[in-house]
Structures are given as C-alpha cells and as structure tokens.
C-alpha cells in the first residue's frame, strides 16, 4: 500500500510531516510513502533532523497553495503545488490514498477536480471525527458545503454510515440528523425533507438528534449541512477549550488545589487523551472516488502518523465501493418508483 | 412595579413558582406580584407549604397550555390558561412585565398576539442569556424563528444591543454574527447579506464570530437565525454537561481522587455557580411591546426569583423605547436612500 503525503500542508510542515511519515513506515509494515513538495527542502529537513527516508520516496512539487488562497487556484496558479501533485499521483494510480494538512477548500476542490467524485455523488463532504467521553462519532458535512439540498444530506448519511461500519468497525451505525427538536416536523424545510429521505434509506436512521445529546455520543454518524456541521465542530471545540482552561486555572489557584492537581494527574492525563484529536487521525473526505484524508492544520508528528494509518484503513476497506453500491441502489429504486 | 407571573409554567409549578415569588417580594421592595392560574390550587399550595402571599394577588385562570400543544391553541382551546390570562393583564396595563416558564412556542405566539410587537419589528426573538467563564452574552434568536431573512438578523442585533446596554449595563456592547469564518463572504447568503446590513447599523458590530470563540465571551450579543441559535444554545449545554459529568466521575474514581475533590471543593462550587443558569434569570422575549421573560422549564425558586428581578429591570429601563427609536431611525434612513 502506497500513501501519498503532502509534505507542505499544515502549520508544522515539513518537519512534523516528515517525522510522522517516518513513524508510520516504522510502525506499519504494510505501507510505503510518497512525499510531495520541494525535494531539496524535504531532503535537507530530513538530514538536519536525522529523519530516515527509508520506504519514503519524494516527488518534487515546487509550490505550496496558501490557506488564504482561492481554492480554485489549485488548477491554475498552483497547479504544481504539493497538494495538486499529490492528488495527481492518487488519480493516476501511483498511490492508494492521500493525506494533506493543507487548505481544506483547496483539498475539497482539488480532489473533486483531479480524483473525481464517486459516481452519483453530488458533492464531496468533510467527515470530521469527533471525540466524545465514550468514543467518537463522524460528523458530516464538516463545512465543505455551507448550503445543502435534502438529497445531499441523504448522501452524507449513506457515506458516513459506510465509513463508520467499514473503517471504524461499528456494526449498523446509528445515524442522526442534527435538528432543534426530536419531532420530524422541526427545523427548516431542509431538515423536514431530509428526515423523510433518511427514513427510507438503507441505513440505521435513529431520527433527529438534538445538539444537547450529540456530545454524549448517542449517534455514530451525525448528519448536517456544512454550515450547521461547522458550527457543531467549532463550538464543541470552543466549549471544551473554555472548560479545559478553567479547570487548569482551578488547579493552579493555590497550594491546596495544586496538591489536588498532583493527586489527579493520571485522571487528567487520561481525560486529555480522550479529547486529543491527534489520536484519531484526520477528516476523511467523503464522496471522492479514492481515499483522501484532511489532517488538522496544527497536526504534530503523531497526528500525521495516525492520519496515515487512517488513510491505509480507508483504502483497505471497501468503503468507496460500498457507497457506490448504495447510491446505485437508491437511484434504481427512484427510477422504479417514477 | 407589578410583575405578572404564570403560576403554572415549568416542571416545578406551582410550588417553586410560589416560593420564587415570595422570595422576590421579600427581597425587592419595589415590586408586587400578580399570579395567574387556578386560584384554589395556588392558595392550597401556599397554605400547605407555608408560603406567605403578602404583596401577591391571584388572578384565576382555570387551565394550563401543555408544552406539547400547538402554540396557536393559546387563542382557541387554551384562551383561559394561566399564560393567556397573564399576557392579557400585561396587555391591558394591569402589570408591567410578565414571567412564564411554560411552553416557549405558546409564549412567543401569545405575546405577539395579545401584547403585540414593537412597531416596525418583523418577528419576536428569544434572547437567551448564556453564561461564560468571564460573564455572559445574549444569544438571539434562541429558536423562535428557524428560518430568517437578513433584515430579521439586523433587528435581532439592534434589540440585543439595546437589552445588553440598558438592562445588563454593558457600554457599547460588542455584536457578533455567528458564521463559519471571519471573512464577510463566508457562510450562506443569509450571513453574507446580514453582514452588510449589520455593518451599517447603529451598533458596535465586530464582524463574524466563529463558534470556537463564542464561549470565551468575545461578544456581548451573538446574532444568528433561530435554527443556528438553538444549535449554539443546546450544544453549549450538551458539551458542558458532558464535561461536568466526566469531571465528577474523575473525582469519584478512588480514594486519592476523592481527597483531591475535597481539596477542590470551593473551586468546584464557584465553577458550578458560574455555569448556573438560575443565577441569570430567564430569556427575554425581544421585539414584544412590553417586557416578557421566558424562565427555564426546570426553574427552581431561585431561578424564578431572578427571572422576576430581570423582568423588573427590563421594565424599568428604556429598552423597548430604545428599540423603537433605532428601528424608526433605520426605516427613516432607508426611505431617504430610496
């Protein structure tokens, strides 16, 4: 299995990317890596930091698309960037999966353009892995499509369900639709119509999920338009950060609380571990015809290693064909009912 | 000042309502209360629990509108319910403000029907007081209007700004628009258009606010359509509950952590206090021509007492006239620019 990795994506590139790749090839015997990016810089960074490049090849790409750049520039001004070259290798079959911590917009657009979408899929979505106290859930769309039609939400549900079943090994994953009430008639027209489509879909649809219940992990797959999904993702992070900061301040308040902090150190460490996105890898782009993982912009070496493992699991399992079959099945049924 | 209170709203009615009213009249010398609801039940509950009814009068209302009832039934099947009678007293001038912990939908509809909206205001909104580690912010719309037009968001901003300035005493309150990015072109058409309206409004608009930053209290007024606002409100609560539950479990794990819990007890109590909605009263309905407060459904006596104080402050300050003037000013400007 060959994983293509964008060496120049994210805030800590290329050093943490290289470290993560070295960790991955040493830990997972079944993978080889192709790094894309400025070859000279990659080799000098590896040499300076004594990172072995065994089982890692480099494909030169002279530029990097900045996160603030218009995503569409990936096929014009930045057609030779590390991300575009990586997606090209994936498209041509020179790699089995692609990992990048670069611009999300450019990655979604580049993947849709160069690698193409799964047949019948209207729009690619970002599947964000969200940690909870009990485990994790997949939230999609995490923000690729601010405005959605009901059929898109149906496809997100099918794709998320396939991913959680095949890659995460969750049997018959519970799928919930983010809404402001449990009843089918709640929310806007989008939720109302999506609810009815989801009810008839070949998935384990458990109905509307109220945001109050999402963090408790009541669903394995949480479906929303990209605007709402992005709000859920960022607000979860914001409240968690605000709580974590306050708890830290509490423990540092005085001698008594500092002693309490020492007594609690292993519990606090375990708690941090649960909330650590780096443990879970990155966000699978769902709906692209080959596996693409968006790693977090602030990924460290461990996060890159886990994103590479996740890319391997995504490629090894039959997710994409499963999605293809489900979509074809729904289209067939629609045709028959017309 | 006379505050009208729905004796049969909320999960703990009428006992906690009565207790809260008795606390309020004893603590705040300047108020009297009219309770609405089944007079016999109110008097027997007060007698059984030795709650004094000094400075409290009762106005009989034989029924209670259930939370699961269609809100519009407040003017048909439940025209004689405790909420409708209370709103009637407010409308006729027999009270200066109204507090209810009953059905939110019925309260929004009933207030719009019986008390009417402020001249020029298109839709009433729920202004939810959200506690943060540093203080609080007002979120609106908290869920009255799942679908909104840009002009509605502009009015929410003006109303929220007036409330925070006049009732909470925040000078020049910072107003943010919930969006999935800081740039003006982010989000859907709704956010894009609302951004430009807010920029020209007579408020301290600080731009888009990303959900990650909301819990840190970067804005005093957080504006969103009712769907997004309700997601923000319920998800904040959900993440907080999930964190609080995990922290509790951590402290109860073993002897060492229990000792740590004891050492931290005053900090944990202070933390709980900050997060306690009961301290902040209820949600002001914004856009209604007279002050209406929606108390939380699970309000206890303290929460009712604080909601009554908040109703008094809402009535004492010039919020409603201030909103009226701002709306008139904007309409004037619009006319001139045509």
């Amino acid at each position: 299995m060959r994983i293509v990795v964008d060496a120049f994506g994210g805030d800590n590139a290329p050093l943490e990317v290289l470290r993560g790749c070295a960790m991955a090839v040493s830990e997972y015997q079944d993978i080889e890596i192709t790094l894309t990016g400025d070859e000279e810089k990659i080799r000098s960074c590896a040499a300076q930091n004594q990172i072995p490049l065994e089982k890692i090849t480099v494909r030169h790409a002279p530029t990097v698309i900045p996160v603030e750049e218009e995503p569409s520039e990936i096929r014009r001004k930045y057609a030779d960037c590390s991300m575009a070259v990586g997606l090209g290798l994936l498209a041509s079959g020179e790699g089995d999966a692609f990992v990048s911590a670069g611009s999300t917009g450019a990655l979604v657009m580049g993947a849709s353009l160069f690698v193409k979408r799964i047949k019948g899929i209207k729009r690619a979505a970002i599947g964000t892995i969200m940690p909870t106290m009990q485990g994790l859930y997949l939230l999609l769309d995490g923000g690729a499509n601010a405005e959605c039609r009901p059929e898109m939400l149906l496809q997100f549900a099918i794709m998320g369900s396939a991913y959680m079943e095949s890659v995460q090994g969750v049997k018959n994953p519970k799928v919930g639709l983010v809404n402001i009430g449990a009843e089918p008639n709640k929310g806007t027209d989008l939720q109302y119509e999506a609810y009815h489509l989801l009810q008839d879909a070949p998935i384990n649809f458990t109905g509307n999920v109220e945001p109050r219940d999402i963090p408790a992990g009541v669903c394995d797959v949480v479906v929303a338009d990209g605007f709402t999904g992005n709000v859920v993702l960022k607000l979860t992070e914001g409240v968690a950060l605000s709580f974590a900061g306050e708890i830290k301040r509490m423990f540092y308040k005085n001698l008594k609380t500092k002693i309490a902090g020492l007594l609690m150190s292993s519990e606090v460490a375990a708690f941090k571990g649960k909330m650590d996105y780096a443990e879970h890898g990155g966000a699978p782009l769902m709906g692209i015809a080959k596996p693409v993982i968006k790693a977090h912009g602030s990924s460290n070496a461990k996060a890159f290693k886990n994103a590479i493992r996740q890319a391997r699991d995504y490629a090894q399992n039959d997710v994409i064909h499963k999605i293809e079959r489900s979509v074809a099945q729904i289209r067939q049924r629609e045709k028959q009912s017309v």
Side-chain angles (χ1 to χ4, degrees), chain A:
Chain A
M1 168 102 33
R2 178 166 292 276
I3 314 291
V4 184
V5 179
D6 177 355
F8 286 86
D11 311 334
N12 310 311
L15 179 58
E16 293 296 310
V17 187
L18 267 60
R19 281 195 172 133
C21 288
M23 282 162 74
V25 290
S26 118
E27 194 163 324
Y28 314 122
Q29 299 304 316
D30 53 349
I31 65 163
E32 298 190 350
I33 286 174
T34 300
L35 275 168
T36 60
D38 187 307
E39 183 156 9
E40 210 182 297
K41 282 186 189 159
I42 292 173
R43 298 214 180 271
S44 86
C45 175
Q48 271 170 32
N49 297 280
Q50 287 148 359
I51 300 166
L53 292 181
E54 226 175 286
K55 293 170 80 180
I56 298 175
T57 60
V58 178
R59 185 65 72 101
H60 183 65
T63 66
V64 180
I65 185 164
V67 284
E68 60 279 9
E69 182 57 84
E70 232 353 274
S72 58
E73 292 296 344
I74 195 165
R75 61 168 164 181
R76 289 192 290 260
K77 206 163 132 196
Y78 289 99
D80 60 357
C81 74
S82 56
M83 188 188 279
V85 169
L87 288 166
L89 292 175
L90 181 64
S92 67
E94 292 170 81
D96 302 297
F98 179 58
V99 174
S100 175
S103 155
T104 307
L107 188 61
V108 172
M109 181 161 287
S112 302
L113 284 171
F114 305 142
V115 189
K116 310 289 180 200
R117 286 191 293 276
I118 297 171
K119 202 184 159 205
I121 290 293
K122 291 173 201 293
R123 300 284 285 273
I126 298 166
T128 313
I129 309 275
M130 300 287 291
T132 71
M133 300 300 169
Q134 289 73 36
L136 58 87
Y137 67 91
L138 185 72
L139 169 70
L140 73 176
D141 178 17
N145 311 282
E147 267 175 297
C148 287
R149 295 183 305 280
E151 313 80 59
M152 287 164 67
L153 267 54
L154 168 65
Q155 295 194 340
F156 297 167
I158 287 166
M159 298 194 295
S161 192
Y163 185 90
M164 286 304 278
E165 186 140 30
S166 302
V167 181
Q168 295 286 342
V170 179
K171 281 233 172 343
N172 209 18
K174 292 193 283 287
V175 180
L177 175 67
V178 179
N179 206 342
I180 58 174
E183 305 81 0
N185 63 347
K186 288 280 173 173
T188 71
D189 291 348
L190 174 65
Q191 285 77 32
Y192 179 82
E193 289 174 33
Y195 188 99
H196 295 281
L197 292 176
L198 288 166
Q199 261 191 323
D200 295 335
I203 52 166
N204 180 17
F205 178 53
T206 55
N208 288 331
V209 58
E210 286 200 77
R212 187 181 283 119
D213 302 322
I214 295 174
V218 295
C219 295
D220 304 303
V221 179
V222 170
V223 174
D225 60 89
F227 186 89
T228 305
N230 198 265
V231 168
V232 169
L233 148 66
K234 286 180 178 162
L235 186 64
T236 300
E237 196 180 330
V239 178
L241 279 173
S242 157
F243 254 73
E246 187 67 15
I247 291 164
K248 204 172 164 184
R249 272 190 295 279
M250 273 164 57
F251 278 123
Y252 277 91
K253 210 179 154 194
N254 55 43
L255 185 64
K256 220 165 74 171
T257 61
K258 280 179 192 165
I259 293 168
L262 285 174
L263 292 170
M264 297 287 288
S265 54
S266 65
E267 281 73 24
V268 170
F271 181 75
K272 276 186 187 161
K274 277 187 192 177
M275 292 287 102
D276 186 5
Y277 75 90
E279 294 288 347
H280 301 292
L285 290 203
M286 304 297 313
I288 301 299
K290 293 185 175 185
V292 176
I293 298 287
K294 165 69 177 82
H296 203 289
S298 61
S299 290
N300 57 15
K302 187 173 74 172
F304 279 111
K305 186 201 76 176
N306 286 325
I308 291 164
R309 184 202 62 214
Q310 186 188 14
R312 177 200 64 182
D313 296 348
Y314 192 175
Q316 258 169 7
N317 289 286
D318 204 28
V319 191
I320 286 163
H321 286 122
K322 193 178 280 184
I323 293 170
E324 222 161 37
R325 282 194 300 272
S326 291
V327 171
Q329 191 185 325
I330 290 179
R331 291 178 70 164
Q332 191 58 35
R333 213 168 52 189
E334 278 170 359
K335 271 188 202 158
Q336 285 168 349
S337 73
V338 168

